[in-house]
Amino acid sequence: EVLLVESGGGLVKPGGSLRLSCGAFGFTFSSYIINWVRQAPGKGLEWVSSISTDSRSIYYTDSVKGRFTISRDNTQNLVYMQMNSLRGEDTAVYYCVREDVITKSFGLWGQGSLVTVSA
Amino acid sequence: ELVLRQSPGTLSLSPGERATLSCRASQSISSTNLAWYQQKPGQAPRLLISGTSIRATGIPDRFSGSGSGTDFTLTITRLEPEDFAVYYCQRYGTFGQGTKLEIK
């Protein structure tokens, strides 16, 4: 079965750190760009970051630049999001998302991992 | 910076009716990269349409997409009970704010 499975979410205090992981199953992980998309409670979808197949091209939304770091391990079929200096506005469900090669649409989503930043 | 504006914010219709959802871009974009997603409560979004009009695998043909330039549309003919959800348009790293399709 083709799957993305996130883990690592939880409750963290403001200023704290958390690392999300995303495992890929059932497809050639190294061939796909992977994105993180988040959704704050009751809000819409917000793209956060993307990483190219070879990790050479990495992008972030402005609000997380300097605080979040995306990385991947193609030998383990894993992508990570290291989140530092967390703020209340980072509270969200974080989705790991596979980008389709040709259309660039987000064709495969994980189930999401909830990150709550609160004192 | 590209902005995608979806309208209406909420659409109230009955099963069997036709739904027309709009996505307007702040600048002209290639139709190759405009996608639509459906999200139900407590679930991850699901890709419906890519490349403006190409249905994803398993998506019923009552869903169709069209448009070009700055104006794009998702049409759902003959609404089924399971179609009531939130719909988002997207292009690369930009999402619209969503349209909630609710039962009237």
Side-chain angles (χ1 to χ4, degrees), chain B:
Chain B
E1 179 186 340
L2 178 70
V3 176
L4 297 176
R5 291 188 176 86
Q6 293 185 240
S7 61
T10 301
L11 185 58
S12 299
L13 294 170
S14 300
E17 291 193 294
R18 177 189 186 97
T20 303
L21 286 65
S22 174
C23 177
R24 179 162 290 178
S26 58
Q27 60 196 69
S28 183
I29 60 175
S30 169
S31 60
T32 303
N33 306 119
L34 194 285
W36 290 92
Y37 302 84
Q38 176 193 67
Q39 187 179 32
K40 297 180 181 180
Q43 296 183 16
R46 175 175 71 147
L47 176 67
L48 294 176
I49 301 279
S50 64
T52 295
S53 60
I54 304 169
R55 278 189 302 276
T57 302
I59 302 303
D61 60 7
R62 64 179 181 273
F63 290 89
S64 64
S66 63
S68 64
T70 60
D71 291 316
F72 299 86
T73 300
L74 174 68
T75 302
I76 313 170
T77 58
R78 303 180 309 276
L79 283 165
E80 298 286 343
E82 62 267 28
D83 298 337
F84 292 91
V86 180
Y87 292 84
Y88 295 93
C89 61
Q90 175 247 355
R91 186 257 191 185
Y92 294 147
T94 301
F95 286 93
Q97 83 280 15
T99 290
K100 182 180 181 180
L101 179 56
E102 65 177 22
I103 298 178
K104 187 174 182 180

Side-chain angles (χ1 to χ4, degrees), chain A residues 2 8 10 19 22 27 30 32-33 43-44 46-47 49 51 72 79 96 99 108 113-114:
Chain A
V2 177
R19 188 177 82 157
C22 172
F27 64 94
S30 59
Y32 291 89
I33 294 169
K43 302 298 184 182
E46 179 187 25
W47 174 82
S49 181
I51 185 166
R72 68 189 293 164
V79 63
C96 175
E99 184 174 311
L108 181 65
S113 183
L114 176 61

Side-chain angles (χ1 to χ4, degrees), chain A residues 47-116:
Chain A
W47 174 82
V48 176
S49 181
S50 69
I51 185 166
S52 63
T53 55
D54 60 3
S55 302
R56 290 185 176 184
S57 296
I58 288 174
Y59 303 96
Y60 301 97
T61 192
D62 286 347
S63 63
V64 309
K65 283 180 183 175
R67 300 188 299 122
F68 289 14
T69 303
I70 191 172
S71 61
R72 68 189 293 164
D73 182 344
N74 286 344
T75 66
Q76 299 289 327
N77 290 357
L78 288 165
V79 63
Y80 303 100
M81 178 64 80
Q82 177 66 43
M83 302 185 293
N84 298 330
S85 303
L86 283 161
R87 307 167 180 168
E89 55 264 36
D90 296 319
T91 294
V93 174
Y94 285 73
Y95 295 102
C96 175
V97 186
R98 188 185 77 178
E99 184 174 311
D100 287 351
V101 174
I102 296 175
T103 67
K104 304 300 182 183
S105 58
F106 293 172
L108 181 65
W109 296 66
Q111 85 287 355
S113 183
L114 176 61
V115 173
T116 303

